[in-house]
Amino acid sequence: MTGPLRPPGAFTLGAFAGAVLLGGGNFVAVRFSNGELPPFWGAGLRFSLAAIVFVLIALVLGLERPRGRQLVLTGLYGLFTVTLSYALMYWALVRVSAGMTAVLLAIVPLVAPLLAWAQGLERLNRRTVIGALLALGGIVWMTVGPNGLALPLGGLLAVLAASLTIGQSVIFGKRVSGNHPVMTNAVGMSLGAPLLLLLSGLAGERWAVPRQPEVVLSVLYLVLLGSVGMFVLMLLVVRRWSVAVTSYTFVLFPVVTMLVEAWLLDEPLTGRGITGALVVMTGVWFGALKSSDPARPGSSSPVPSPQMTSRNSPST
């Protein structure tokens, strides 16, 4: 289990902000990509190219490959982060609106701390849970209009499953924090990308090189910034901070997406969207940034993990 959280330094906060900015742009880029490329093929192409970039960087830097248990955990990181999470996400985005996807992914800051607590990795902080619920409320307010949102059962289940796999992938990212982030992604994506291509082949998707200029640009963004850039930043954040705090990036993604859509697609900024974004940021501040303050008298105490409780309880 990790020790008490220390206040983050400027580098960690910068990596957190960078991951949020790049991840928020991913939703818009995937929207363009899905306009021409089938979902599994689009995801497989993206991560195959990103894997090549990571392998080349690892070779240039002369990084050592993980071995033994670390290699197994790195493989699981790739399976959950790339194959399972993104297969579900790309498939769902063809069937469910981006707004509903944002709502459902906003439960990641609730799922990830619970998974980390159940696995004995971190304590469960009440402030983190309250902040996540507040941020979730802001996302719902931003995206659910007077007429609500359609909920196709298949897409709904896919995004909910993606939330679980993403939460677990953050945990695997924490467990392999001894590896260099470039090597972790080189190994993880080299495993995950071929499995996405296998899914694409089994689904009978047509493999084609993107031709529309906006799709080509979106794929380049997804490879270089949305994969290589964001994945390195996420690993840097989770190794210096906690699983719970890192997972808050997923409720900030829709805020960035809303701003990018307003800039690139002339989507209007509504009062509902702006107030929802303020509520989201308040929840993130309360649950993530403020929770890393040093403990004070009267502050909420964390809940020990089940493994921690069983180890420290006196025998009966």
Side-chain angles (χ1 to χ4, degrees):
M1 192 194 72
T2 58
L5 284 179
R6 292 173 296 179
F11 179 84
T12 305
L13 286 173
F16 182 90
V20 168
L21 291 174
L22 296 180
N26 278 353
F27 281 92
V28 180
V30 170
R31 178 175 167 183
F32 281 111
S33 173
N34 281 350
E36 182 180 0
L37 305 179
F40 295 148
W41 164 239
L45 176 64
R46 165 190 175 180
F47 286 109
S48 295
L49 295 174
I52 293 172
V53 173
F54 273 121
V55 169
L56 291 175
I57 296 174
L59 290 174
V60 170
L61 296 179
L63 301 177
E64 184 178 353
R65 288 178 296 174
R67 301 180 185 277
R69 183 171 181 270
Q70 284 295 300
L71 179 60
V72 173
L73 290 173
T74 305
L76 289 172
Y77 164 82
L79 178 65
F80 275 78
T81 303
V82 176
T83 308
L84 296 178
S85 298
Y86 279 87
L88 291 165
M89 281 285 297
Y90 272 69
W91 186 84
L93 280 169
V94 178
R95 292 159 176 80
V96 181
S97 69
M100 178 49 66
T101 303
V103 171
L104 295 174
L105 285 184
I107 70 172
V108 172
L110 294 173
V111 171
L114 288 172
L115 290 173
W117 170 73
Q119 295 171 42
L121 185 63
E122 294 178 359
R123 293 177 180 269
L124 185 62
N125 192 299
R126 293 181 180 87
R127 182 183 291 275
T128 299
V129 176
I130 294 171
L133 288 172
L134 184 60
L136 175 60
I139 293 294
V140 171
W141 177 256
M142 283 174 60
T143 54
V144 179
N147 298 325
L149 286 171
L151 291 173
L153 181 59
L156 172 64
L157 293 177
V159 181
L160 288 174
S163 299
L164 290 171
T165 58
I166 289 170
Q168 185 60 47
S169 74
V170 176
I171 292 174
F172 282 128
K174 182 75 170 182
R175 292 192 181 279
V176 297
S177 59
N179 300 338
H180 194 286
V182 169
M183 180 55 72
T184 295
N185 283 302
V187 173
M189 289 189 187
S190 295
L191 170 67
L195 293 176
L196 284 171
L197 295 177
L198 177 61
L199 282 175
S200 177
L202 293 174
E205 293 181 344
R206 177 176 173 269
W207 291 13
V209 177
R211 297 183 181 278
Q212 300 174 18
E214 63 271 20
V215 177
V216 173
L217 289 175
S218 70
V219 171
L220 288 175
Y221 175 91
L222 288 168
V223 171
L224 299 177
L225 298 178
S227 297
V228 175
M230 190 193 78
F231 277 60
V232 167
L233 292 174
M234 290 286 283
L235 285 177
L236 289 174
V237 172
V238 77
R239 74 165 48 181
R240 288 168 171 78
W241 226 340
S242 69
V243 168
V245 172
T246 305
S247 66
Y248 270 93
T249 56
F250 292 93
V251 292
L252 287 172
F253 287 165
V255 177
V256 175
T257 301
M258 177 183 69
L259 297 175
V260 172
E261 287 179 334
W263 174 45
L264 289 180
L265 306 176
D266 292 326
E267 296 280 352
L269 288 175
T270 64
R272 177 181 288 271
I274 294 172
T275 55
L278 291 174
V279 173
V280 169
M281 289 185 284
T282 301
V284 173
W285 170 80
F286 181 82
L289 304 179
K290 191 168 177 59
S291 66
S292 54
D293 291 343
R296 297 180 305 275
S299 60
S300 299
S301 59
V303 180
S305 66
Q307 290 88 335
M308 185 69 173
T309 302
S310 61
R311 287 196 296 265
N312 291 349
S313 298
S315 56
T316 55

